[in-house]
Amino acid sequence: MIIITIKRSLWFALQSFWRNIWLSLATIFIISLTFLSINFLVIINAISDSAITAVKNKIDVSIYFKQDIRESKVAEIKSHLETLTQVKEIVYISPDENLRVFKERRQDDQIIQEVLKELEGNPLSSTLIIKAKNLSDYPEILKAIDNPAYTDLIDKKSYDDHQTVIANINTITNNIKKGALVISLMFVIIAALIVFNTVRIAIFTHQQEIGIMKLVGATNGFIRSPFILENVFSGIMACLVAISVIYFILSLVQPHLANFFNGVDLNLIGYFNKNFIFVFGSQLLGIIVLNIISSSLALGKYLKV
Amino acid sequence: MIHLINVTKTFEPKTVALKNINLHIEPGEFISIVGQSGSGKTTIARLLIAEIRPDKGKIVVGGWNITGIKHRQIPLLRRQIGVVFQDFKLLPKKTVFENVAFALQVSGVPKSRINKIVPQVLKIVDLGDKLNRYPQQLSGGEKQRVAIARALIHRPKILLADEPTGNLDAINSKEIIDLLLKINEFGTTVVLVSHDKEIVNGLKKRVVTLENGEISQDQKVGKYVI
Ligand SMILES: Nc1ncnc2c1ncn2[C@@H]1O[C@H](COP(=O)(O)OP(=O)(O)OP(=O)(O)O)[C@@H](O)[C@H]1O
Ligand SMILES: [Mg+2]
């Protein structure tokens, strides 16, 4: 009995969908725009997240040792620092390695190349590069390095926290997000109004049918469900349209992303693939709830059952 | 079967459609309600299917006090009362079969059962050979017979007909009245609202006459006297 009723509601809903195809298409169009603007928000989120992650990855503390410090001593300090819980990893760079990198980097600088040639032996020393688990762990690590036992060994240390870069990224993306949020909200409101009106028009065009349904003992639920289902159906279609459009656009944009965000590893398609169910599922759920609410409001208002 | 006890219905701002009506209809009765236009006949019909509610008094249908019936229960009531109107109320885009089947679909009856009983009922109203016609391809009398078939499809205990012959000529009217009598013979209580003097007088059944929202006469074998 319930299954029969659901099947009939579905059938009535589909019929009505086709009979008012232009209205249905307009509804789908607006709901798709809603989806797209919301997903624009999602994309901005993904971009700012990976940009910030990339910058955070660049943050580290480098310790440059004095020239005459033996490697074994540096190794000792390294293993001592590694016992700190805040430390994620420590990379040891030998004097030779440092020299090689330095030479490579200054390849085109004739003067430096010549000076290096004149010098006997390696003027560079060992370096330790320390990465913390969290940004907030660096002060603790810096304190540990300031240990008086080390002061004589260390030539200099550098710590660049990139705070301003992160702050900039945050400001920019927050502004974009605010704009996208306002646009999304507008589309949500428009979508709700359209659904509301779709149902209202549907009720007017079906008034005779509804009257007869009531007369022969149809329940409110039976009278309502085709209208609500019809809009839920539009929501699902719009979701499919939005998904196709988003993947199409991403496939065009993806190859240029790496260039644009110089070196930042940003795989938006991968991001959407990974979060597909969550991203689109929650949006579909949202639009279905929105549909049910505005359909019910319209029905309650214009269908005195 | 039907009891109206001290029923009063006023329409805003100050039309008193029914004044303190007391009417008792026994199971299996065939009763005609007559009266001038605006005397409150249709108002009684609408009260019985809970389309409107009385201001005062009590209405009992088939042992069920429907005076303050809950919205959710109205569909159950309507499946127990078949209704027929002057304007047929058929869906123009549905065939004869579909118009009748519709009444079963809305209450979740399986397709196999619909396919079985709809032709049976249409045969009773003598439309067994016109299942696939559309309303516009039918005469007025045939349309009203479709409406009667639809009203009967739930096997109601009561058939309520509000001027079912109002749009029909004499011959078609007679056919419809004969059909109502036949339905009554099977045990269904029939409430007929009518304007037609000849029809009512020819029935030789109970006649209740309304005047300005009040019952002025109630005769066992009545005549339309106004
Ligand atoms: N919805 C309404 N709002 C206001 N007044 C109404 C309404 N429905 C009916 N009335 C009034 O109530 C009175 C009784 O109406 P009702 O429809 O019962 O008359 P009736 O006997 O069926 O008449 P007819 O023979 O013309 O169908 C009339 O005066 C009518 O104008
Ligand atoms: Mg009337």
Side-chain angles (χ1 to χ4, degrees):
Chain A
M1 157 111 180
I2 286 173
I3 291 179
I4 291 169
T5 306
I6 291 172
K7 248 168 66 184
R8 279 186 189 136
S9 301
L10 259 173
W11 176 240
F12 283 166
L14 281 179
Q15 259 183 342
S16 155
F17 183 89
W18 283 119
R19 281 185 192 154
N20 306 296
I21 187 70
W22 289 109
L23 197 62
S24 311
L25 288 180
T27 312
I28 290 176
F29 180 69
I30 289 295
I31 299 176
S32 304
L33 286 183
T34 314
F35 272 131
L36 288 176
S37 62
I38 290 170
N39 282 301
F40 181 65
L41 261 178
V42 174
I43 289 174
I44 296 298
N45 246 328
I47 290 176
S48 74
D49 276 359
S50 41
I52 287 174
T53 314
V55 173
K56 278 181 186 167
N57 276 335
K58 282 188 181 155
I59 298 173
D60 52 33
V61 176
S62 303
I63 307 175
Y64 303 95
F65 288 91
K66 288 186 177 154
Q67 230 186 316
D68 50 355
I69 307 299
R70 270 174 290 119
E71 282 184 25
S72 58
K73 185 72 192 164
V74 175
E76 189 187 302
I77 294 171
K78 176 172 182 271
S79 51
H80 174 71
L81 287 176
E82 270 166 352
T83 60
L84 293 173
T85 50
Q86 294 92 341
V87 170
K88 188 169 145 210
E89 65 167 349
I90 301 178
V91 177
Y92 169 73
I93 300 171
S94 66
D96 292 346
E97 177 73 8
N98 265 334
L99 183 64
R100 195 181 60 73
V101 174
F102 185 73
K103 271 185 183 164
E104 228 171 63
R105 223 181 267 160
R106 301 297 177 92
Q107 233 169 20
D108 304 326
D109 195 329
Q110 285 301 326
I111 300 167
I112 285 188
Q113 295 294 340
E114 255 158 55
V115 171
L116 282 175
K117 244 180 246 164
E118 308 252 311
L119 275 172
E120 262 176 48
N122 185 352
L124 297 177
S125 58
S126 331
T127 312
L128 285 180
I129 298 172
I130 306 166
K131 272 197 165 49
K133 282 182 184 140
N134 292 307
L135 270 186
S136 52
D137 290 335
Y138 282 103
E140 208 52 41
I141 292 172
L142 288 169
K143 218 157 78 212
I145 298 168
D146 280 338
N147 187 335
Y150 299 154
T151 33
D152 288 342
L153 314 174
I154 293 172
D155 178 25
K156 62 173 178 152
K157 58 183 194 295
S158 78
Y159 171 60
D160 186 355
D161 63 3
H162 292 76
Q163 288 295 359
T164 42
V165 180
I166 290 176
N168 280 342
I169 294 176
N170 271 332
T171 331
I172 294 169
T173 54
N174 279 342
N175 281 336
I176 298 176
K177 273 187 217 169
K178 263 182 220 152
L181 199 66
V182 170
I183 293 171
S184 300
L185 215 66
M186 255 167 51
F187 276 118
V188 167
I189 291 170
I190 294 173
L193 284 176
I194 292 231
V195 168
F196 185 82
N197 268 300
T198 314
V199 173
R200 215 180 54 151
I201 292 168
I203 290 170
F204 282 136
T205 55
H206 290 82
Q207 229 160 19
Q208 191 193 16
E209 215 167 328
I210 291 170
I212 293 171
M213 282 168 113
K214 284 198 265 180
L215 218 55
V216 296
T219 58
N220 290 354
F222 187 86
I223 296 174
R224 276 159 193 246
S225 51
F227 294 107
I228 292 175
L229 276 176
E230 189 182 338
N231 283 294
V232 168
F233 187 67
S234 299
I236 293 171
M237 296 286 275
C239 192
L240 293 179
V241 170
I243 289 172
S244 322
V245 171
I246 288 164
Y247 272 92
F248 177 70
I249 292 176
L250 286 183
S251 70
L252 292 182
V253 169
Q254 186 69 56
H256 307 290
L257 277 180
N259 282 338
F260 191 73
F261 291 99
N262 195 7
V264 176
D265 178 30
L266 186 56
N267 184 357
L268 281 177
I269 292 182
Y271 178 85
F272 272 96
N273 283 341
K274 209 173 92 197
N275 301 301
F276 190 89
I277 306 252
F278 176 73
V279 169
F280 294 111
S282 58
Q283 288 175 34
L284 187 61
L285 203 72
I287 213 78
I288 287 174
V289 169
L290 183 74
N291 266 321
I292 291 176
I293 290 174
S294 45
S295 302
S296 304
L297 276 178
L299 286 164
K301 197 158 179 215
Y302 295 98
L303 186 70
K304 290 247 155 47
V305 269
Chain B
M1 179 60 45
I2 298 173
H3 302 280
L4 281 82
I5 303 154
N6 299 328
V7 170
T8 296
K9 177 70 194 175
T10 313
F11 288 107
E12 296 304 322
K14 54 178 200 268
T15 314
V16 184
L18 292 175
K19 261 176 260 169
N20 204 31
I21 294 285
N22 279 289
L23 180 61
H24 302 274
I25 302 170
E26 297 304 317
E29 235 183 315
F30 191 121
I31 179 173
S32 304
I33 299 176
V34 300
Q36 282 178 334
S37 183
S39 56
K41 306 181 295 291
T42 298
T43 304
I44 289 182
R46 293 176 70 201
L47 283 168
L48 291 178
I49 57 170
E51 209 175 278
I52 51 176
R53 278 149 206 261
D55 303 327
K56 275 190 215 130
K58 187 169 151 188
I59 302 173
V60 179
V61 175
W64 182 5
N65 183 351
I66 61 158
T67 317
I69 188 172
K70 293 206 174 68
H71 266 295
R72 293 187 273 112
Q73 294 187 310
I74 292 176
L76 289 177
L77 173 70
R78 299 208 177 144
R79 288 174 205 173
Q80 291 177 28
I81 306 178
V83 278
V84 177
F85 296 96
Q86 181 173 356
D87 60 353
F88 319 127
K89 296 202 193 296
L90 299 178
L91 291 165
K93 284 183 192 155
K94 286 189 190 287
T95 63
V96 167
F97 179 90
E98 288 166 346
N99 262 288
V100 178
F102 191 64
L104 289 174
Q105 285 176 344
V106 300
S107 45
V109 176
K111 203 171 187 169
S112 56
R113 192 165 156 68
I114 292 178
N115 286 339
K116 198 172 135 226
I117 65 174
V118 170
Q120 281 175 4
V121 174
L122 281 168
K123 215 158 160 188
I124 293 175
V125 300
D126 206 14
L127 285 171
D129 54 343
K130 293 184 173 135
L131 299 186
N132 296 319
R133 297 254 193 120
Y134 286 88
Q136 68 193 47
Q137 300 169 314
L138 299 174
S139 74
E142 287 169 334
K143 281 185 206 167
Q144 195 57 290
R145 280 187 274 152
V146 177
I148 292 173
R150 186 182 61 196
L152 292 178
I153 202 80
H154 283 302
R155 303 178 160 277
K157 287 177 246 156
I158 300 162
L159 182 68
L160 189 57
D162 190 353
E163 315 231 13
T165 59
N167 278 342
L168 305 178
D169 60 25
I171 297 170
N172 274 312
S173 295
K174 175 139 190 356
E175 273 182 20
I176 293 298
I177 296 301
D178 285 346
L179 184 56
L180 292 181
L181 284 167
K182 193 164 117 192
I183 291 161
N184 178 240
E185 269 169 35
F186 290 146
T188 307
T189 308
V190 175
V191 179
L192 169 69
V193 173
S194 182
H195 256 137
D196 194 318
K197 206 169 196 157
E198 241 170 87
I199 284 177
V200 174
N201 290 344
L203 282 169
K204 306 211 166 26
K205 301 266 186 190
R206 183 179 171 194
V207 175
V208 168
T209 309
L210 284 180
E211 255 176 83
N212 295 322
E214 287 179 295
I215 296 178
S216 64
Q217 291 194 49
D218 186 347
Q219 303 164 288
K220 266 272 169 279
V221 177
K223 287 231 176 225
Y224 194 160
V225 282
I226 300 163

